[in-house]
Structure formats: structure tokens, C-alpha cells
Amino acid sequence: MTQPANTSTTPAHPATGVSFDFQTVEPRWQKAWNEAGVFTVPDVPPADKPKYYVLEMFPYPSGQLHMGHVRNYALGDVVARYKRARGYAVLHPMGWDAFGLPAENAARERGVHPQDWTLKNIAAMRATLQRLGFSLNWDREIATCLPEYYGKQQKLFLDFLQAGLVERRESWVNWDPIDQTVLANEQVVEGRGWRSGALIEKKKLSQWFLKITDFAEDLLDGLKTLDRWPDRVRTMQERWIGRSEGAHITFSLHQPPQGLTNEGLDSNLNAVEVFTTRPDTLFGMSFLAIAPDHPLAAYVAQSNKDAAEFIAECRRLGTSVEAVETAEKRGFDTGLRVNHPFMDKSFPIWIANFVLMDYGTGALFGCPSGDQRDLDFAHKYNLPVTPVVLPQGKDQADFAITKNAFTGDGTLINSGFLDGLSTEEARKEAITRLEELGVGKGVVNWRLRDWGVSRQRYWGCPIPVIHCESCGPVPVPDAQLPVKLPEDVTFDKPGNPLDHHATWKHVACPKCGKPAVRETDTFDTFVDSSWYFARFTAPHAPTPTVRDAADGWLAVDQYIGGIEHAILHLLYARFFTRAMRKTGHLDLSEPFAGLFTQGMVNHESYKDAAGNWLYPEEVDLRPEGAVKRGTEDAVTVGRVEKMSKSKRNTVSPEAIIERFGSDTARWFVLSDSPPERDMEWTEAGVSGAARFAQRLFRLVRTVAETVPAQNTCPADIASEADTLRRATHRTIAAVTEALEAFTINVAVARIHELTSALADAEKTPELDGIAFARREAARVLCQLCAPMMPHLAEEMFALLEPGKTMVVELPWPEADPSLLAATQVTLAVQIMGKLRGKIDAAPDEDSAAVIARAEAEPNVARLLEGKRIVKRIHVPNRIVNFVTAG
RNA sequence: GCGAACUUGGCGGAAUGGUAGACGCAGGAGACUUAAAAUCUCCAGCCUGUAAAGGCGUGCGGGUUCGAGUCCCGCAGUUCGCACCA
């Protein structure tokens, strides 16, 4: 569906006003691009071009595009337009991450149906994106909340189920006893439900899990191949997956505890299995700690009220790791004891609030001298501390552990048969001995847990399963897909509307035909975003993917989004890709070959005297201080922070486009700050960007109107013309390099420089060759700024070369290598590394001549007088450094 | 608490181990204008000095090097993530 480059026409009459009239010009070029179909690509990439898939993380349709989106999509559009100009077939689609809690909150708060709310938001945000002129394939738009998308997701889930990648098991959720609903971690504020204020409890529910741990090793190994990902993201994922080598150790119970009988005691409760990465410190043990959710804890609680009370308290902490780990370390002594595997000693079993049931075996042995948490715990409850690792260079006689545990490597002491061994040797020896005794073994443990995907919510993709009393959970047959969300739901009672829907829920079992009920849970919205990049390659196909399309376009060559997704979303998408390969939907492991994480858009915050937050448009910034517009009341300027509704420090993209135009908005978010870093939105900055756009437009228009066109460069040109030509070609090289390196702020700076050079040339319009050089510079400026300010670029180019092709159809300019070489270089002359003068030299000039000239430089010669030069260092074209003595 | 990163003029930032502060914003001086806006020209890290020049300077403290914003070690501050927000 792409159009040949020479068939499109440029609009007949570019703006004729005194300056760049963005309000009429921008929509006109958007129309011209669309009519020429320049951004449309086929489902299977064309054979005559290399393909390039650029994707920005799709937005959640919250209602309004915000500046963070503008920055994200402006960055992606620079890449898309640049790669297009470099001759690639570019896939650059857009969609909506349209399921999620905010739609349900809106339904409960304002009585609007989640679907209406979402679709309305999508329409508003799509309009803004289109106004911004991004080079998107709008014919590929998807929304995850439409059955066309989520029905295919249900198919994927059933295929995963078939392939053994899905399991049903119990797990803990945050339960709000008043609202009778499950809460997300973010809905739990200081241990209470955000709406009801009730103390929340952990509750166990049967839920669906995707077996991401099946791929733990592969997900870890795959990170090594992702050489176009930021190191920090790879490191974070590596830590998250968390491969650790250690041992499982079985501690047998010392004696049946008082008041407890073995009756009802599971055989594995006769012993406690722990995981440790430090079997070498086993002789330093002083207690054994189990998670509050450990089966043994539950067993103790049956007959011990205090234990039950302590466990209940721990449960009120909620399910987030952060809550558990920041809470004060507390424990409860069960009175039970375990035998030490190597020593004839027993140690107490504590229930401790910092032990996680989800990690390892939910139990650990405490070695206070070798672990800070264990040490703090030991001090609090008066448990003994035995040092077992002696740091290098310390003497055992005066080595003691007081406030700080020693976690490093050293030599084993107080450790029986391990004494004298290194930490590493002791680890191996301890495991060998445990295995010989049959009470332990060396294991690889993963921090990564399986992915619980069940959510007790309405506004999500229904999980396509039917529960039958006789058959158990039964997959919905393919022919009955998609399982559509019922639209006739109400949010007037607490809980999930699907759960109390009269008809939707009750169906016949597909297997036996008896009455059964649908699964009323829906998928975690991370599931939706785990495969959308693949769906974009064949967005309207009846199957989740079409292999020719997916194989042709994937992997995503450049993925762009916020650092906040560094772990979960990216890891889930990497897992889904593997699972989809296993089930035949895809044929690759790594979905995102290149990843770029952009920073946030921040803004100053403002407060009036009463402490109320003010919107930026309510404030006048004056040199003598900020005041409230209209009232002149003093305003306190707060810190620069992430734009947020609660602080009212937001700027609406719509308003900015209205005032300054899309190109200015785009140019500003790309200027100044490096894309990966946070940027500050300022009024002064955006008006500066607007001034530059107008200035560039005026300069190019002057060239178009006053400088005659010339096809070839005259043989003899004035040095001013040569200077401009060199600036032009250096800028092509520099901007190209900057765009390749994603340092777009540097590309912007180089374009500023060439603009100034073109302005300088206006002063000498009569010189030989200057006309050619000016037209060349103007044309190049159109092309170089086009990825950032595409409308302005088209408008200027239409003035410069009327009736020809659009910039969007021109190939990227090439720098002439003969114009890149410097004709003269300036070298710094240093004495002992301090700058003392400068000299000029020919490029790559002979060392001896350069050094002689440097030594003779007056200021250098003066300072060298009476000193002995011991070394002369010459770095060609850079510096000369004299090392002196005495 | 654990994990990851970031820190350079008044501000955003630039800088293959080689002239720190490119480019921009804000500021100052001047030109144009009846005036303002807009535009254009010039100045500008801090300290001493008329100048020439010199001293100091990339969060703080050490180290490697002829030479460190850049590499190494330690510290502080800020930001992000922590599995049911997306």
C-alpha cells in the first residue's frame, strides 16, 4: 500500500503570513502525508528494503495525553522518521492498554460504564496524537479491551494451558473485610483499605499462575544477548530473576512440643526444610525462623493463642514485599526446637515477620554473625552470636561481632570440621557433609516466582475457563471464543460484578453438560501488554498472530518507554514470547532487540499562602517573585517534580499545541535534556523553542525568496561560502551520529549551530558560491529537522523547492567526506597537565615541528624558563604536554 | 529494608582518558523603535588583577595517570522498582 515517491503532490499554497502559521500548516501536512499513504506498511515486510520496527509503550487511556506521552512518542517518531529516510520499511503502530482499575474506579465514583469511559478517553487521546503529527500506522490500531484483541489472548492462554505452562494454586491476596473485595497493593495505604479504611487482611484464594519459572534459566541467559538494552535494566532483571546457589537443609524437630501431638501433623512437619546461600555458616546458627504463613506456624497457632495473634498481626501487613521488609523486625518463639545437623545441640524455632513464604522454603536458619537481619533479630530477642567467619587480617583472639554482621569472605572459625577453610571451600564441604548425612543437598534457587494472573475485577480479559463440579476447571472450547465481557453490569455493590451477574456466570459444562459456572476472575493487565507488539504485525487476523507477518517484522528493533517498566512488563513480555514460541505462535525468544528508557517530564509546583496547590496557569512568574494571577497574592515555588494531578503541576499538551503548535511542543521535549534523563517543563523553554522554529522558518524563507537556485557548486568559491558548506556537511555528519546514538539533544544543538551559520551568510550575499552554499544549507536544515519538526520541515521545503516531493519522501542527506576534514587544528599546550597556551597546526602535522612550536609559544616559553623538560607528550591534533623536573 | 541508577555555571546540559562549560534558557550591555514587543550584535563559571596573567573549579573524601567530569575505592544526597497501579 505504499505509494511511489513521485506521485504525491505538495499542497499548492504554503502559508504566506509573516511567520510560520502552524495552525493552518500542521493539519494540511498531516492530510498530505495521509493521502500519500506514506506511513502505511504491508503485513509482510517488503523484500526490497530492510525492515525496522519501532514501538513506544502503548498508553493507558486515562483521559488525556500528558507531557510524558508527548516526550515518549516524539522520541519514537524521531527514530521512525529517521529510519524511514534511511531507506527502511518502518512499522510504527499505536494502540491502547485499555483494561485496568481506573475505569472501574470511575464507574464506582461517577456511575459511568468502564467501556464508555475507556472508549471516550481513547477517542480524545487519539485526536491529540494525530494533532501531533506522529508517523503512525493508524490502520493497525488496537485496543486491549475489545474482544477482537482479548479473544485472541484467551486463545493464547488456552494454548499455554495445553502446553503445561499454566497452573492453578492458592495464593495470598489483600482482603478488605468491609468492601468485601480484593485490593491491589496500591490500594492498601498503611495497612488499611484506601476507600473503607478497614484494616486489611491477607486471604488465600485459588488463582491461575503462568509458569514463568519454567523459563528462569533461559530468561537469565537471554539477557546476555540483549546488547542494545541499557545495562541497568539488564542488571535489574538479573537481580529480579535472582539465581543463587545454596543448599536445602532439613532440620528435624528436637522433640514433640508440649501441648502438640503428632496427630494431624503432616509428615513434613516433623522437620523443617530451609534454604540457605551460606551453608558455610551453619555452626554460627542460633535460631531457626519460619514465615508466618509456614504450615508449621499454622500448626502451632492451632493450640497457641499468642502465636495465632502474632500471625494475624503479620497478615495485616499486606502482601507487598516492601511492607514486609520495612516493618520492624519481630518474632514469636514457638517453643519448638530443632536439632543441628552437625552438632549435638538444638535451637529454637521462631516465627518471624521478615521471612517470606514465597522465597526459598519459607524458612531460614539464623546466623547472627553473618547476616545483618539475623543479628538485629538476635539482639532484640537476646539470642547468642557466634562469629564463624574471620575476615582476612584479623586476629581471632580480639575479633568480635557487635553492631555489624560480617557478610564477606574469610576463614572459618568456631566451626568444627570447617575450621581453617575459606568461605568458598567451607560452602562446598558443608554441602558434601549434608548430602552424606542425607539431611540436605546443594540446590539452585530462584528469586523469581510464578506469575499470578487472576484478578477479581470486571474490567479485564475474562479467563476462558468454566468450573464444573464433576469435571473441575474446563477450558472454554475454541468455538466459543471469545468469552465476551457482559455489558449489563452495575457497580452499586462491592465485589466483582461478574461474580454476581445473573446469567453470564451460569453456563453448561462444555464436557458433561451439567450446570457449571464461568471463571469470574479476569487477567492481570500485564497479560494484555505482554504480546501486543506481536499482534501489531497482523492486528486484524483471526488468529493471535500470523507467522509470515510476525516472523517478518519481529523483533521490535527499537522499543521506547519509561524506566518504571524495567522489570515487570519487560520480563513478562520476554516470558510471553518464549511461551508463544513453545505454542507455535512466534519463532523468537527476545521480543525487543533494542530498548530505550526515557526520563520523566517534571514541573515546578506552586502553593498559595493557605497551602493549596495551584496550576501553572494560575501563577505569574515575576523576577521579584511568583504571584497568583489576578489576586497578586504571593505564591511559594516548590520543588521540581513529576507532573501529577494531586500537585497540580501539570501542563496540558492540548493547550500547548493550541498556543505553540505541535512542532514546537515536539522540539522542546527533544531539546536540552538527554532523552534518558528527567526533563523540566518550563514556560521559558517552550517559548524559546517556538522562537527558534520561527527564526528557522524566516531564514529559509529568505533563502527561498531571494537566493537564485543553482544546480552545481561553482569551482571557485569565497572562503565564507566554503565555511558554510563545511558547516553544513559537518552538521549532517554530527546530527546523523547523534540520532544513531539517541543523543537527540545534541542533534538539536548541532541544528542550532547550522542555523546560526546560515544566518551569518546572510550578511555577505554577493560572494562567489554563497548562493549555492545557502540553498544547500537551507535544504539540509529542512531534512535534518524533519524527524523532530516534520510540519515545519515540509513547509520550508515547499517554499524552497516548490512542487517537488515532500521531505518525508527524501532520502537522508549524505555528508561529503571532502568537506568534513578540518583545514587547521588548535592544540592545547600544557605544562604538567595545566593549560598554558594554544598553537595552531596543520591536521596530522609532524610531531617534531608541533612540539618545537609549542615550546616556543611565548607564555609557554616564559614558564618553561629554568625548568628541565623530562618528557614531551604529543597527542596529534589534541595536546602537547611538557613534563618538567626541578 | 532490598535492588538499580543519577549528581558538571543562576538553570537544562556538552565533552573517543587530552583546551571543562558546546548548544539552549534566564541575565547584562548595545542597535533598531516615539515607546514597547519582536528582531539583531556583543558579554558572561568563581576569585585576584586596568590588563597581561594567575589561583580555584564537574556532590564530598581518597587513589591510578604526564594528564581524570570520564577509570578504581569509600561516603552523602536524589530518583526509580519491589511481583494486584500501569
Side-chain angles (χ1 to χ4, degrees):
Chain A
M1 291 294 280
T2 46
Q3 298 286 318
N6 55 8
T7 56
S8 67
T9 54
T10 53
H13 299 290
T16 51
V18 287
S19 56
F20 178 59
D21 172 23
F22 57 84
Q23 292 200 338
T24 57
V25 167
E26 288 181 348
R28 202 173 45 190
W29 286 107
Q30 287 161 17
K31 193 162 165 257
W33 296 327
N34 286 338
E35 283 171 2
V38 288
F39 305 131
T40 308
V41 288
D43 272 2
V44 179
D48 60 335
K49 287 178 173 182
K51 70 92 187 176
Y52 200 88
Y53 185 177
V54 52
L55 182 67
E56 304 98 28
M57 291 177 184
F58 64 166
Y60 178 77
S62 58
Q64 250 205 8
L65 210 66
H66 54 72
M67 277 303 165
H69 292 127
V70 175
R71 192 181 191 199
N72 191 185
Y73 302 132
L75 282 169
D77 206 42
V78 168
V79 176
R81 287 178 179 268
Y82 169 70
K83 288 292 175 184
R84 237 187 136 265
R86 293 303 296 254
Y88 289 86
V90 174
L91 176 62
H92 186 208
M94 181 54 69
W96 308 96
D97 191 10
F99 274 137
L101 271 178
E104 249 173 89
N105 293 336
R108 286 186 199 280
E109 283 159 17
R110 279 171 277 159
V112 50
H113 193 284
Q115 172 151 309
D116 299 340
W117 184 83
T118 303
L119 295 181
K120 198 171 137 255
N121 288 347
I122 287 176
M125 291 170 74
R126 184 196 298 116
T128 309
L129 283 179
Q130 288 176 340
R131 272 187 96 179
L132 282 160
F134 295 131
S135 64
L136 293 162
N137 316 127
W138 280 107
D139 53 327
R140 291 174 180 272
E141 180 180 3
I142 55 182
T144 57
C145 66
L146 299 177
E148 190 184 48
Y149 182 84
Y150 71 69
K152 310 302 180 291
Q153 183 164 304
Q154 293 169 341
K155 169 67 179 154
L156 288 179
F157 174 79
L158 294 177
D159 286 353
F160 290 1
L161 187 64
Q162 183 95 47
L165 292 169
V166 180
E167 256 180 31
R168 191 158 172 79
R169 65 173 92 119
E170 294 201 309
S171 77
W172 295 97
V173 294
N174 299 311
W175 179 252
D176 184 321
I178 291 184
D179 278 352
Q180 294 284 303
T181 187
V182 176
L183 298 182
N185 282 335
E186 71 153 19
Q187 296 173 318
V188 179
V189 182
E190 286 169 9
R192 291 171 183 274
W194 65 341
R195 245 184 256 281
S196 68
L199 280 173
I200 68 106
E201 291 165 8
K202 288 193 211 175
K203 190 177 166 181
K204 233 177 197 177
L205 286 185
S206 253
Q207 315 223 51
W208 293 102
F209 282 81
L210 296 184
K211 290 167 73 181
I212 190 171
T213 54
D214 278 10
F215 294 97
E217 190 101 54
D218 194 43
L219 286 166
L220 185 66
D221 291 345
L223 289 173
K224 295 187 197 103
T225 68
L226 299 173
D227 55 350
R228 290 202 298 117
W229 278 40
D231 284 342
R232 60 170 166 159
V233 175
R234 288 197 286 178
T235 313
M236 278 194 262
Q237 291 219 351
E238 198 177 307
R239 301 282 171 130
W240 188 261
I241 296 168
R243 183 182 198 277
S244 60
E245 288 181 17
H248 277 171
I249 305 170
T250 306
F251 288 89
S252 56
L253 288 188
H254 179 59
Q255 58 188 31
Q258 270 192 334
L260 281 183
T261 65
N262 270 346
E263 205 174 322
L265 194 66
D266 200 320
S267 65
N268 62 16
L269 289 188
N270 288 315
V272 182
E273 192 176 35
V274 306
F275 170 75
T276 179
T277 57
R278 297 295 304 274
D280 53 307
T281 64
L282 207 37
F283 285 93
M285 174 173 182
S286 68
F287 61 95
L288 188 143
I290 60 177
D293 301 329
H294 195 277
L296 184 59
Y299 185 74
V300 171
Q302 280 172 21
S303 55
N304 183 329
K305 259 192 161 169
D306 294 340
E309 180 52 35
F310 179 74
I311 292 167
E313 246 173 76
C314 292
R315 290 215 176 129
R316 284 199 276 276
L317 267 177
T319 59
S320 80
V321 173
E322 187 192 4
V324 171
E325 298 206 346
T326 47
E328 189 200 353
K329 310 271 170 287
R330 294 182 54 211
F332 178 88
D333 188 350
T334 61
L336 301 177
R337 297 181 78 82
V338 288
N339 298 311
H340 193 278
F342 297 149
M343 295 186 285
D344 187 18
K345 274 189 182 173
S346 74
F347 294 95
I349 301 179
W350 287 67
I351 301 169
N353 65 350
F354 62 91
V355 181
L356 303 168
M357 192 60 217
D358 289 319
Y359 183 75
T361 59
L364 55 84
F365 78 80
C367 171
S369 64
D371 183 287
Q372 194 60 46
R373 271 187 317 196
D374 296 350
L375 184 64
D376 296 343
F377 193 78
H379 282 158
K380 177 157 182 164
Y381 293 107
N382 256 326
L383 298 159
V385 179
T386 313
V388 282
V389 180
L390 186 68
Q392 202 177 7
K394 291 267 162 99
D395 190 352
Q396 186 176 346
D398 54 53
F399 177 67
I401 297 285
T402 51
K403 274 195 177 136
N404 297 311
F406 177 68
T407 55
D409 288 351
T411 308
L412 273 284
I413 52 173
N414 302 323
S415 292
F417 60 88
L418 297 177
D419 276 349
L421 298 181
S422 72
T423 310
E424 189 56 42
E425 291 162 344
R427 232 169 259 181
K428 286 184 188 145
E429 182 57 30
I431 290 171
T432 307
R433 199 64 77 96
L434 287 166
E435 286 174 351
E436 280 169 13
L437 294 169
V439 293
K441 59 177 190 294
V443 294
V444 171
N445 187 57
W446 301 91
R447 193 176 160 277
L448 184 68
R449 313 198 299 251
D450 278 333
W451 176 15
V453 293
S454 298
R455 299 290 181 272
Q456 296 69 38
R457 325 232 170 265
Y458 166 73
W459 195 233
C461 170
I463 298 177
V465 171
I466 291 164
H467 296 278
C468 170
E469 268 190 31
S470 359
C471 311
V474 180
V476 172
D478 280 2
Q480 290 174 27
L481 294 182
V483 176
K484 287 193 191 174
L485 280 176
E487 290 183 20
D488 54 334
V489 288
T490 51
F491 291 88
D492 48 2
K493 0 178 200 184
N496 181 356
L498 293 179
D499 207 25
H500 28 73
H501 193 282
T503 53
W504 184 84
K505 185 176 172 182
H506 299 280
V507 289
C509 170
K511 246 189 197 164
C512 68
K514 282 191 226 159
V517 289
R518 282 194 193 283
E519 169 78 57
T520 56
D521 286 354
T522 52
F523 283 124
D524 177 5
T525 55
F526 272 123
V527 175
D528 311 337
S529 55
S530 290
W531 68 287
Y532 76 111
F533 52 89
R535 183 66 183 168
F536 273 136
T537 64
H540 312 299
T543 47
T545 59
V546 172
R547 285 292 298 273
D548 280 353
D551 293 352
W553 284 111
L554 291 172
V556 175
D557 295 281
Q558 187 64 61
Y559 195 36
I560 306 170
I563 186 68
E564 67 272 21
H565 294 292
I567 296 181
L568 292 182
H569 161 61
L570 291 169
L571 193 63
Y572 292 151
R574 295 179 63 222
F575 157 69
F576 242 74
T577 306
R578 283 163 171 79
M580 286 172 78
R581 182 170 67 176
K582 193 172 176 189
T583 48
H585 294 282
L586 288 179
D587 185 29
L588 79 166
S589 318
E590 292 298 342
F592 311 122
L595 173 69
F596 190 88
T597 54
Q598 106 271 5
M600 293 182 302
V601 179
N602 297 337
H603 198 284
E604 277 179 339
S605 52
Y606 309 103
K607 264 187 188 176
D608 65 15
N612 302 311
W613 298 103
L614 298 174
Y615 288 107
E617 56 268 26
E618 297 176 286
V619 175
D620 259 337
L621 297 172
R622 309 239 177 98
E624 64 275 14
V627 295
K628 186 163 178 184
R629 201 163 283 175
T631 68
E632 302 292 303
D633 294 339
V635 166
T636 311
V637 177
R639 38 182 254 155
V640 172
E641 55 192 313
K642 183 177 180 173
M643 286 188 181
S644 77
K645 278 184 191 156
S646 61
K647 303 248 169 78
R648 299 200 166 179
N649 62 338
T650 53
V651 173
S652 140
E654 281 289 338
I656 293 299
I657 296 168
E658 203 62 44
R659 265 178 72 201
F660 297 101
S662 298
D663 279 342
T664 293
R666 296 171 58 139
W667 185 253
F668 177 56
V669 294
L670 297 168
S671 306
D672 293 355
S673 293
E676 71 276 12
R677 234 185 273 183
D678 290 353
M679 66 168 291
E680 184 189 354
W681 182 276
T682 61
E683 191 66 14
V686 70
S687 49
R691 272 204 304 278
F692 175 75
Q694 296 294 346
R695 176 176 186 232
L696 178 58
F697 180 76
R698 279 196 308 273
L699 270 173
V700 174
R701 187 181 57 190
T702 303
V703 171
E705 288 170 353
T706 66
V707 179
Q710 273 174 291
N711 285 332
T712 52
C713 182
D716 280 322
I717 62 172
S719 75
E720 284 84 351
D722 185 60
T723 302
L724 179 56
R725 292 207 66 204
R726 285 178 185 278
T728 299
H729 286 264
R730 266 203 322 274
T731 305
I732 295 173
V735 169
T736 305
E737 190 187 322
L739 294 185
E740 291 285 348
F742 237 101
T743 50
I744 303 191
N745 54 320
V746 178
V748 166
R750 299 287 96 88
I751 290 172
H752 273 289
E753 283 170 343
L754 181 56
T755 305
S756 294
L758 177 59
D760 283 345
E762 261 183 7
K763 294 169 204 154
T764 54
E766 309 299 329
L767 293 173
D768 287 338
I770 204 83
F772 179 87
R774 283 173 74 189
R775 281 215 164 242
E776 182 182 44
R779 185 183 218 269
V780 163
L781 277 168
C782 290
Q783 293 183 271
L784 295 184
C785 78
M788 297 84 149
M789 296 195 283
H791 314 88
L792 177 69
E794 296 290 1
E795 189 67 12
M796 293 191 302
F797 191 69
L799 291 171
L800 212 53
E801 299 184 16
K804 297 205 181 154
T805 58
M806 295 191 279
V807 176
V808 77
E809 291 167 314
L810 292 177
W812 192 249
E814 298 267 356
D816 179 345
S818 70
L819 292 170
L820 290 179
T823 50
Q824 187 186 293
V825 294
T826 303
L827 284 84
V829 184
Q830 304 176 334
I831 297 171
M832 299 298 281
K834 277 189 184 295
L835 180 69
R836 296 303 181 194
K838 291 176 186 182
I839 56 166
D840 289 331
D844 300 316
E845 194 180 328
D846 173 68
S847 265
V850 170
I851 290 173
R853 209 130 31 79
E855 211 166 326
E857 200 275 338
N859 196 45
V860 175
R862 180 176 68 84
L863 291 159
L864 281 174
E865 218 171 278
K867 299 243 172 70
R868 189 164 58 85
I869 302 173
V870 275
K871 205 169 171 187
R872 296 171 171 81
I873 294 157
H874 173 226
V875 180
N877 306 326
R878 298 269 180 194
I879 61 132
V880 174
N881 187 17
F882 296 106
V883 183
T884 59

